[in-house]
Amino acid sequence: MDIGRTPDERFDDLRMHDVDEGQPDGLVPELMGFGRSDKPVDRAAYTYESHVACTGEWLDQLGLADITLFADPPASMLSRAWAGLSAFEKPFLTTFAAHEDITRAFEQVVQEHIPGARDRSRPTVPDAGHFLQQQQPDLLVEAILSLA
């Protein structure tokens, strides 16, 4: 595969860049092809499956355990992991923005389908729309921390 390489000095031996904003317990990966991560030249390499594989490899390399994952998957991507999620018993938080018009319709379906989401409070982030992580980051972090 032809790859557009990001200069080595931008990495700590990882080819998938992560954003470190000084928070010792938070990492944000930049998926392959984005930001400072390597960029496959072949556009066919940009698939859901390749992003999942690269992210899994990145987590394995870091050796992380007992983590909380924050993900913002489009509904089309969530459907590909649907079968596995039907057996997911660990805490699963769904949080939507008050003015979310795109994915809010999936809220009840997710709550019913994923055991870890059942009987769990579903915070609604006020004064935000589809891009709630940019519009209300502090309130979203509070919701995530409520899992602990």
Side-chain angles (χ1 to χ4, degrees):
M1 172 189 312
D2 289 332
I3 297 173
R5 286 276 184 211
T6 298
D8 288 337
E9 59 269 10
R10 302 248 185 163
F11 296 94
D12 296 323
D13 296 326
L14 296 175
R15 298 307 315 180
M16 189 167 159
H17 181 256
D18 56 71
V19 178
D20 180 359
E21 294 295 329
Q23 299 296 323
D25 48 352
L27 290 171
V28 180
E30 289 184 329
L31 295 177
M32 299 304 281
F34 296 89
R36 294 186 209 162
S37 292
D38 285 342
K39 290 136 187 82
V41 175
D42 181 5
R43 287 182 173 245
Y46 292 91
T47 65
Y48 172 74
E49 290 79 11
S50 70
H51 284 307
V52 169
C54 288
T55 303
E57 290 170 15
W58 173 76
L59 285 170
D60 288 345
Q61 288 175 3
L62 293 174
L64 300 175
D66 193 28
I67 64 170
T68 300
L69 171 69
F70 168 74
D72 182 19
S76 62
M77 290 187 176
L78 182 60
S79 68
R80 293 177 180 233
W82 200 240
L85 289 173
S86 67
F88 193 81
E89 299 279 344
K90 293 186 178 184
F92 193 99
L93 177 69
T94 56
T95 303
F96 290 87
H99 305 291
E100 169 59 77
D101 297 326
I102 298 171
T103 61
R104 186 91 191 217
F106 296 99
E107 181 179 23
Q108 189 65 36
V109 174
V110 168
Q111 290 288 315
E112 293 170 1
H113 186 78
I114 302 172
R118 291 186 194 132
D119 303 320
R120 182 166 297 282
S121 67
R122 300 179 290 225
T124 297
V125 178
D127 301 320
H130 185 66
F131 299 102
L132 70 113
Q133 61 271 48
Q134 286 91 11
Q135 296 165 338
Q136 291 287 2
D138 294 339
L139 294 177
L140 183 57
V141 168
E142 283 180 32
I144 294 168
L145 292 176
S146 74
L147 282 173

